[in-house]
Amino acid sequence: VPNASLIDTSTTGLHSFTVTATDSNAVSTQQTVTYGVVPPPVATISTPANGAHYTQGQSVGTAYTCTASTAGPASCVGTLPAGSAIDTSSTGTSSFTVTAADANGVSATQGASYTIVPRPQVTITVPAAGATYALGAAAAASFACGAGPPLAIVSCTSPVPAGARIDTSSIGSHHFTVTAGDSNGVSAGR
């Protein structure tokens, strides 16, 4: 290769580079240098996982690592420090990146895109908020639980099953709470 041209770094392993100098008397001399090519640094993101769906308000800590083949520790810088909680206060799509750099100044960036979906939802039809029922009245509980797609509801609990009678056996205020739990382990009640 001509002087000041790039040397071959396309494959890892040992390589050699030889320079031959020839003077005007046709006398030549050679010098060979051996050099090693190592893989670039690697950033690996465990959490937040690329393509993952997290629930609004869910506690999700970042987890990532960086490796380098050069001597010395790899630099490893994420959007947030490792172990920090990502912001799940608002729904929508977000991204997270980690950049690994080795001792030679070579860097590589890994990214993850994830979606925050709404908290589980509870709808209570019977008993209606503020409703008044006659003592001993027959009123069947009616409620439903839902989760933000693609998550699923794994629990929907209340004092009585849907369709069963609510408590009207005594006079006074009564409370009826339904709690929904999604497949991320997040619960919400109403």
Side-chain angles (χ1 to χ4, degrees):
V1 295
N3 189 28
S5 295
L6 298 175
I7 59 173
D8 178 20
T9 60
S10 61
T11 58
T12 59
L14 290 177
H15 298 270
S16 61
F17 183 79
T18 302
V19 174
T20 304
T22 307
D23 66 17
S24 59
N25 294 325
V27 176
S28 296
T29 186
Q30 284 188 338
Q31 183 170 1
T32 300
V33 175
T34 301
Y35 63 97
V37 176
V38 297
V42 176
T44 304
I45 301 172
S46 301
T47 309
N50 191 42
H53 290 82
Y54 300 107
T55 305
Q56 185 177 18
Q58 181 179 356
S59 178
V60 179
T62 61
Y64 55 87
T65 59
C66 297
T67 57
S69 299
T70 57
S75 165
C76 197
V77 179
T79 306
L80 294 169
S84 297
I86 62 171
D87 181 6
T88 61
S89 63
S90 300
T91 59
T93 301
S94 296
S95 61
F96 186 84
T97 59
V98 175
T99 301
D102 66 18
N104 293 333
V106 176
S107 64
T109 299
Q110 177 69 40
S113 177
Y114 57 93
T115 303
I116 308 299
V117 298
R119 294 179 64 80
Q121 300 295 311
V122 173
T123 304
I124 301 173
T125 308
V126 176
T132 302
Y133 297 92
L135 183 65
S142 177
F143 57 88
C145 298
L151 301 183
I153 289 294
V154 295
S155 67
C156 186
T157 59
S158 72
V160 297
R165 287 181 66 164
I166 62 171
D167 180 13
T168 59
S169 64
S170 62
I171 296 175
S173 293
H174 295 265
H175 297 284
F176 189 85
T177 302
V178 177
T179 302
D182 70 16
S183 50
N184 277 342
V186 175
S187 296
R190 178 167 180 228

